Amino acid sequence: MERPSLALYETIYLYYRRLIESSVYKRGDMLPSVRSEALSRGVNPTTVLRAYRRLEEEGYLVTIPKKGIYVSYGGNCERLSYLREELQKLLRVGYSLEEVREALESLGRRSDDPD
């Protein structure tokens, strides 16, 4: 059975997500404008805009009106990297994985409690 091909916006979305996750584009870097990216790919600007919006919804990008589209600090990949570093610090100072897990579960239970 043939695998369905990706929509154009998904191809653009995945392309930039990979570039951001592999740090080709770093926090604060400006992406090409919607118009220039559409021209270079020969697609409708709406297609590029849709890809950029999805990246923005996931925390990879931030749009600054009349300035441009930038890689944001809050991207999922950067947040996971930060979390991993912090967990490694806890393990280095002597916390066990079980202690960390229990603390996280306790925090989760407290956030579920009604005020």
Side-chain angles (χ1 to χ4, degrees), residues 16 29 44 94 101:
Y16 279 104
D29 287 349
N44 188 305
R101 186 177 299 111

Side-chain angles (χ1 to χ4, degrees), residues 12-27:
I12 297 166
Y13 157 79
L14 289 172
Y15 173 76
Y16 279 104
R17 191 177 87 179
R18 283 186 199 114
L19 290 177
I20 294 166
E21 288 178 344
S22 63
S23 296
V24 173
Y25 277 97
K26 295 176 178 57
R27 177 179 32 148

Side-chain angles (χ1 to χ4, degrees), residues 47-71:
T47 302
V48 176
L49 184 60
R50 188 172 177 194
Y52 282 6
R53 280 192 179 149
R54 183 168 172 192
L55 288 163
E56 190 168 16
E57 288 168 3
E58 292 179 6
Y60 289 95
L61 301 179
V62 61
T63 300
I64 301 173
K66 299 186 183 196
K67 298 282 185 187
I69 300 166
Y70 297 86
V71 176

Side-chain angles (χ1 to χ4, degrees), residues 64-83:
I64 301 173
K66 299 186 183 196
K67 298 282 185 187
I69 300 166
Y70 297 86
V71 176
S72 87
Y73 178 77
N76 291 337
C77 58
E78 200 163 314
R79 289 179 20 211
L80 288 175
S81 177
Y82 171 78
L83 179 60

